[in-house]
Amino acid sequence: MVKIDKKQKIWWFAFVKNVIIIFVKRFRKKEEISMHKYGPVIKMLSLVTQIGITMLTSVFLCMAIGMWIDKHFSTNLFLLFLILGIMGGIRGVYSLIHNILEQEDMEDKDER
């Protein structure tokens, strides 16, 4: 078995520490460049995804409620709940876009 003296341990620890520091610095630079370059694209993709999920959730939820009511109470309210789901989805998308535009306006005012 190889014995490592105290000087070798200290040197090895310093070497590993410096390698980790260099790696972290390079990774941070790459991360900052990629976020600066692709940040707006990622924001727009997340906005489109949120809009789709908001619209689909409200429509499908109201459709399910309408179908459940039709099945259990023998009524014809499916179309009414479908229209309510579409209207609710439009309202949710409108408020989502409105909030995002307000946040961008606040960020623009802060930058000035």
Side-chain angles (χ1 to χ4, degrees):
M1 192 160 178
V2 179
K3 284 194 166 186
I4 299 175
D5 63 348
K6 192 173 184 179
K7 285 184 181 180
Q8 288 176 334
K9 284 182 184 179
I10 292 172
W11 180 86
W12 181 250
F13 178 74
F15 174 75
V16 170
K17 181 180 131 188
N18 287 333
V19 168
I20 291 172
I21 289 172
I22 290 169
F23 177 75
V24 168
K25 284 181 180 179
R26 287 187 181 174
F27 181 73
R28 282 185 183 166
K29 286 180 183 178
K30 288 179 183 178
E31 184 178 301
E32 289 173 3
I33 290 170
S34 65
M35 283 306 292
H36 179 69
K37 188 176 181 180
Y38 299 112
V41 174
I42 292 171
K43 279 185 177 181
M44 287 300 131
L45 285 175
S46 66
L47 175 63
V48 168
T49 304
Q50 276 184 308
I51 288 172
I53 290 172
T54 301
M55 190 71 179
L56 289 174
T57 302
S58 63
V59 170
F60 283 131
L61 187 65
C62 285
M63 279 177 39
I65 291 171
M67 287 175 23
W68 184 81
I69 289 175
D70 285 348
K71 183 178 177 183
H72 288 284
F73 299 110
S74 300
T75 60
N76 293 324
L77 296 175
F78 174 75
L79 186 60
L80 174 67
F81 277 93
L82 178 65
I83 292 171
L84 286 175
I86 292 170
M87 289 172 39
I90 291 170
R91 167 89 169 70
V93 168
Y94 173 78
S95 65
L96 179 68
I97 292 173
H98 183 71
N99 290 339
I100 289 173
L101 290 176
E102 281 182 356
Q103 287 177 356
E104 287 181 359
D105 287 342
M106 295 296 277
E107 288 175 2
D108 289 342
K109 287 179 183 178
D110 289 343
E111 289 178 3
R112 292 179 194 169

